[in-house]
């Protein structure tokens, strides 16, 4: 199958695109976009990949599925379009960055600036129905993003994986911890952030690790 995605990712994932499950998934997603409101806009499904090529990724953050409110999702986990109010988890991410790195809260919740520096903002599920969280669960996206994580773990060295919450940590079970730095904490949602997300210092740890391997730090 010919999928419109950034070329380095296409080379790594073409085998996956040719599997029967991916064709079934594609047909399902296409029909959903034709019959109901789906987020993100179809052209932005692979936005995380297009903004952060496979060979340029330095940090991987794993989310669950896209925001399901109007105008929020644009293909990057935890990120929202310019001018959109910050969701609670993103507010808490910015609070931790402020505490960890003494950076003021940014004026935009659009994290494209991270993606362009090598942060892959990967949701496990890449599409969702409006106002129906997890509505595209168990349709094939999880199998696809498992492969993405495995390829990154196997074919790259010295990446930082940030796994927030039990869902992301299960998803990251395939990561080779001898080759990569895996940082774990509870999810940044208001329900759990005070149980260990605040104070986790993942952002300074990530930058220290990158610099120790001769890579430039992320401007969080």
């Amino acid at each position: 199958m010919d999928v419109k995605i950034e070329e380095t990712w296409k080379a790594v994932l073409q085998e996956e695109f040719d599997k029967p499950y991916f064709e079934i998934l594609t047909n399902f997603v296409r029909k959903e976009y034709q019959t109901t409101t789906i987020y993100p806009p179809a052209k932005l499904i692979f936005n995380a990949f297009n903004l952060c090529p496979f060979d340029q990724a330095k940090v991987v953050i794993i989310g669950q599925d896209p925001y399901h409110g109007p105008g929020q999702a644009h293909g990057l986990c935890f990120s929202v379009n310019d001018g959109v109010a910050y969701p609670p988890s993103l507010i808490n991410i910015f609070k931790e960055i402020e505490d960890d790195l003494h950076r003021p809260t940014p004026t935009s919740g659009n994290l494209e600036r991270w993606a362009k520096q090598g942060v892959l903002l990967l949701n496990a599920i890449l599409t969702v129905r409006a106002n129906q969280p997890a509505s595209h669960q168990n349709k094939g996206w999880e199998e696809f993003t498992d492969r993405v994580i495995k390829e990154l773990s196997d074919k790259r060295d010295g990446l930082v994986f940030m796994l927030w919450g039990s869902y992301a940590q299960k998803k990251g079970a395939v990561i080779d911890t001898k080759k990569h730095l895996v940082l774990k904490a509870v999810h940044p949602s208001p329900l759990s952030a005070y149980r260990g997300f605040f104070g986790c210092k993942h952002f300074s740890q990530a930058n220290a690790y990158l610099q120790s391997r001769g890579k430039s730090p992320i401007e969080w």
Side-chain angles (χ1 to χ4, degrees), residues 8 11 24 67 69 79 81 109 112 116 119 150 157 160 170 219:
T8 61
I24 294 167
Y67 295 123
S79 177
N81 280 304
E112 285 186 9
K116 289 171 181 174
V119 182
K150 185 85 166 61
D157 281 297
V160 181
K170 283 178 195 155
E219 288 282 331

Side-chain angles (χ1 to χ4, degrees), residues 75-142:
L76 307 176
C77 72
F78 295 106
S79 177
V80 288
N81 280 304
D82 290 320
V84 175
Y86 302 167
S89 290
L90 186 58
I91 290 172
N92 288 340
I93 289 168
F94 287 155
K95 277 184 184 171
E96 176 58 22
I97 291 171
E98 187 172 0
D99 180 63
D100 187 12
L101 299 172
H102 311 295
R103 290 183 181 277
T105 297
T107 54
S108 168
N110 187 326
L111 303 181
E112 285 186 9
R113 61 185 181 275
W114 292 4
K116 289 171 181 174
Q117 296 177 74
V119 182
L120 181 67
L121 294 157
L122 178 68
N123 273 317
I125 303 159
L126 299 188
T127 52
V128 69
R129 283 186 181 183
N131 307 313
Q132 293 182 46
S135 46
H136 283 184
Q137 207 169 21
N138 301 322
K139 302 295 184 184
W141 280 130
E142 295 94 334

Side-chain angles (χ1 to χ4, degrees), residues 141-189:
W141 280 130
E142 295 94 334
E143 185 173 345
F144 171 70
T145 50
D146 281 348
R147 176 67 183 269
V148 170
I149 294 164
K150 185 85 166 61
E151 290 291 323
L152 285 163
S153 176
D154 290 354
K155 294 182 179 170
R156 296 289 314 279
D157 281 297
L159 299 180
V160 181
F161 289 86
M162 295 184 181
L163 308 180
W164 300 333
S166 59
Y167 184 92
Q169 287 164 24
K170 283 178 195 155
K171 189 99 182 147
V174 298
I175 299 164
D176 184 346
T177 55
K178 296 187 189 72
K179 292 171 62 183
H180 307 285
L181 176 64
V182 177
L183 300 173
K184 296 180 182 179
V186 297
H187 196 275
S189 81

